[in-house]
Amino acid sequence: MDGNGRWAQARGLPRTDGHTEGEENLARLVRIAVRADVGWLTVFGFSTENWIRPRPEVRHILGLHERLFGRVAELNELNVRIQWMGRPFDTPDARTPKYVQRAIRKAIRDTAANTGMVLTVAFDYGSRAEILHAARQARVGGQALTVASLGAHLYVPELPPVDVVVRTSGERRVSNFMLWQSQGAAISFTAKPWPEFDAEGLHTALSLVRG
Ligand code: FPP
């Protein structure tokens, strides 16, 4: 969800306002995606590299995640099941604070019965960390390292292969996001910053894979 900071700066607002608007836009986009019959929507909320941002910005983003995971009534109304992926809370490098852990656990529990779209939020997530974790888990289990055995130990093994990756705000590089799962995926580039990514942007992305 790139471009929150730039969206705010272009309006003379603090970067944190851009993140707040980014969270609002995610709520809008979830509705749009459900209407478009998207089965799986996965968003990069906070990366393993984002912890080095200024403390007040990190605190603000953590608060937004707590709020997002608290929007259970909305998710239930939309029949959306929430998932989370990131460094498991009990591993040495994990950094998710307790109050966000609680919000994540509760949201997963309270939406578990929903049968519609699965919204997965990547928080304290990095693809390299995920692949390393999966390889170590497979080794601990004494399994031969294969595509299947490693894939079975990814953070959320039920996630299907990625159909299309959306890159907002003019970013044209590959980021540390779902590298294993997005082999062969289409990429949809847009100059719009995340707070302005809308139904048109989603339909453009979907047209790359739905024909
Ligand atoms: C990128 O914008 C966004 C983030 C680092 C994460 C924060 C995302 C949100 C708060 C959106 C809401 C999502 C959730 C799951 C609550 P940036 O800061 O890199 O902006 P820039 O690219 O303009 O610098």
Side-chain angles (χ1 to χ4, degrees), residues 88-165:
F89 303 148
D90 59 354
T91 51
D93 298 337
R95 296 202 47 186
T96 305
K98 284 274 183 323
Y99 70 97
V100 180
Q101 292 184 20
R102 273 194 295 275
I104 289 172
R105 285 202 185 92
K106 187 170 182 333
I108 292 174
R109 204 172 51 237
D110 292 353
T111 65
N114 293 340
T115 54
M117 186 177 84
V118 178
L119 169 66
T120 305
V121 179
F123 179 90
D124 192 27
Y125 175 84
S127 197
R128 287 183 159 192
E130 179 183 33
I131 293 168
L132 271 175
H133 170 82
R136 287 181 183 134
Q137 291 294 110
R139 198 174 55 186
V140 167
Q143 292 164 308
L145 263 189
T146 63
V147 168
S149 70
L150 198 146
H153 290 289
L154 294 173
Y155 293 146
V156 184
E158 66 168 328
L159 286 182
V162 173
D163 290 321
V164 56
V165 177

Side-chain angles (χ1 to χ4, degrees), residues 18-38:
H19 295 312
T20 303
E21 188 55 31
E23 199 247 353
E24 282 306 320
N25 197 42
L26 178 57
R28 286 192 289 271
L29 234 289
V30 165
R31 272 179 196 280
I32 293 166
V34 166
R35 238 178 280 135
D37 211 20
V38 170

Side-chain angles (χ1 to χ4, degrees), residues 1-7 15 19 22-23 26 43-46 50 53 57 61 64-65 68 121 171 194:
M1 294 178 282
D2 277 294
N4 291 342
R6 278 167 280 178
W7 179 90
R15 291 175 57 83
H19 295 312
E23 199 247 353
L26 178 57
V43 294
F44 207 170
F46 199 77
N50 283 154
R53 291 189 178 210
E57 185 175 345
I61 296 175
L64 289 173
H65 278 77
L68 174 82
V121 179
E171 297 296 341
W194 170 255

